[in-house]
Amino acid sequence: MTERRAKSFGRFPRRAPACHWLAASIIAGLAWAVASAPVNAQLNTQEEPVESFEIGLSTNRIGITADFNGAQLVVFGALDNADARIQRQQRYDIVVALFGPRAPVVVREKQPVLGIWVNQDSETFDAAPTTYSVASTRPFQDIASKAVRERLSLGIDSVRLSIADNAESEAGQTNRSEFEAALRRIRTNKGLYSEATGEVRFLGPSLFRADLRLPADLPVGVHTARAYLFRQGVLIRQSSQQLTVVKVGFEAWIDRFSEEHGASYGVLAVLLAVFTGWFGRVIFRRD
């Protein structure tokens, strides 16, 4: 009985378990994935170039004197490894902005009461740039979406005036928007905020230049110049440089003396006023 059963098993080959075939399929799939991965990576690298983007300033330091009447800052840069097809289609856009030192500011609304203008409502903005100048290759709405413009402060209407939004209700939000528009309008009329569309120009395949106008009331401190590179409406690179504004000359000495020796400065100011009044009386005295 045992011998016959052994012979019957010997007539047919034993089948391999199903798990062996599954393991072989997995190994073959992994080998194919490993072999094709470098090819796919190489193809992706060839399809999307990695652009490099750097900027520089015509000067990194501006001195403020008594006769300072504004200035012009030139921001130049280079765009390397650009896609030739996108460049021919002029789908690269650049926005250059100069942000002055941020400082808190209070905007008040005046209303007539019994013939007298008095302050009524007010709104505080904790991080409004003292000055703001921006230039672009095209209109801002053609370069990026509204959300991107507000996030990056591209354009006077989108410049960020506060870090934290304190408005809670819909009525409060509307009221705050009116104060924001008022602050932007006031500083634009004073020349502190300015924008120029089309002032960023390509001088060649890779070089570009932007001219920013600086106001006469340029505050001292560290200003930040930022440049943003867009490819077909998508932000891909940004670069920044710092500009230092300081007082120079006799005005700078007076400013430092008043800060370091406040009491002595006050005494000298009073004596100068007394001497000026006496001297004027002597000159214009009528006998």
Side-chain angles (χ1 to χ4, degrees), residues 121-132:
D121 296 336
S122 64
E123 191 71 35
T124 302
F125 302 96
D126 58 1
T130 51
T131 57
Y132 174 75

Side-chain angles (χ1 to χ4, degrees), residues 22-37:
L22 179 60
S25 301
I26 293 175
I27 293 174
L30 290 175
W32 178 84
V34 172
S36 59

Side-chain angles (χ1 to χ4, degrees), residues 96-114:
V96 179
L98 180 67
F99 298 87
R102 293 184 177 270
V105 60
V106 179
V107 181
R108 294 182 173 88
E109 180 185 8
K110 291 185 176 181
Q111 294 182 358
V113 177
L114 299 177

Side-chain angles (χ1 to χ4, degrees), residues 153-176:
S153 294
L154 303 183
I156 295 178
D157 294 335
S158 301
V159 62
R160 195 167 186 177
L161 304 176
S162 182
I163 298 177
D165 191 358
N166 299 324
E168 296 180 355
S169 62
E170 183 177 354
Q173 180 67 34
T174 303
N175 192 30
R176 187 176 178 84

Side-chain angles (χ1 to χ4, degrees), residues 211-230:
D211 297 324
L212 299 179
R213 183 172 58 86
L214 305 182
D217 297 333
L218 189 66
V220 298
V222 178
H223 300 239
T224 302
R226 293 193 179 97
Y228 306 92
L229 174 63
F230 292 85

Side-chain angles (χ1 to χ4, degrees), residues 170-184:
E170 183 177 354
Q173 180 67 34
T174 303
N175 192 30
R176 187 176 178 84
S177 299
E178 294 176 357
F179 281 98
E180 287 181 351
L183 178 59
R184 293 188 176 100

Side-chain angles (χ1 to χ4, degrees), residues 20-199:
H20 293 176
W21 295 100
L22 179 60
S25 301
I26 293 175
I27 293 174
L30 290 175
W32 178 84
V34 172
S36 59
V39 178
N40 292 336
Q42 185 177 2
L43 291 177
N44 292 336
T45 303
Q46 294 177 353
E47 290 177 358
E48 296 187 4
V50 180
E51 296 91 344
S52 60
F53 182 64
E54 296 294 337
I55 65 170
L57 306 180
S58 57
T59 178
N60 294 102
R61 186 177 182 272
I62 293 180
I64 302 296
T65 58
D67 57 348
F68 182 78
N69 195 27
Q72 189 176 30
L73 179 68
V74 178
V75 181
F76 54 90
L79 169 62
D80 295 326
N81 299 328
D83 190 310
R85 178 180 59 84
I86 298 177
Q87 213 166 23
R88 286 194 301 269
Q89 297 174 354
Q90 297 182 351
R91 298 302 296 171
Y92 282 113
D93 288 298
I94 297 176
V95 179
V96 179
L98 180 67
F99 298 87
R102 293 184 177 270
V105 60
V106 179
V107 181
R108 294 182 173 88
E109 180 185 8
K110 291 185 176 181
Q111 294 182 358
V113 177
L114 299 177
I116 301 176
W117 289 90
V118 296
N119 294 327
Q120 295 291 330
D121 296 336
S122 64
E123 191 71 35
T124 302
F125 302 96
D126 58 1
T130 51
T131 57
Y132 174 75
S133 302
V134 63
S136 62
T137 52
R138 294 189 298 158
F140 300 104
Q141 61 271 18
D142 297 338
I143 296 177
S145 63
K146 182 179 179 180
V148 174
R149 297 199 305 269
E150 292 179 350
R151 179 171 60 88
L152 300 177
S153 294
L154 303 183
I156 295 178
D157 294 335
S158 301
V159 62
R160 195 167 186 177
L161 304 176
S162 182
I163 298 177
D165 191 358
N166 299 324
E168 296 180 355
S169 62
E170 183 177 354
Q173 180 67 34
T174 303
N175 192 30
R176 187 176 178 84
S177 299
E178 294 176 357
F179 281 98
E180 287 181 351
L183 178 59
R184 293 188 176 100
R185 183 179 65 255
I186 292 172
R187 293 195 167 179
T188 300
N189 294 336
K190 290 183 177 180
L192 299 177
Y193 287 5
S194 63
E195 64 179 32
T197 301
E199 286 299 322

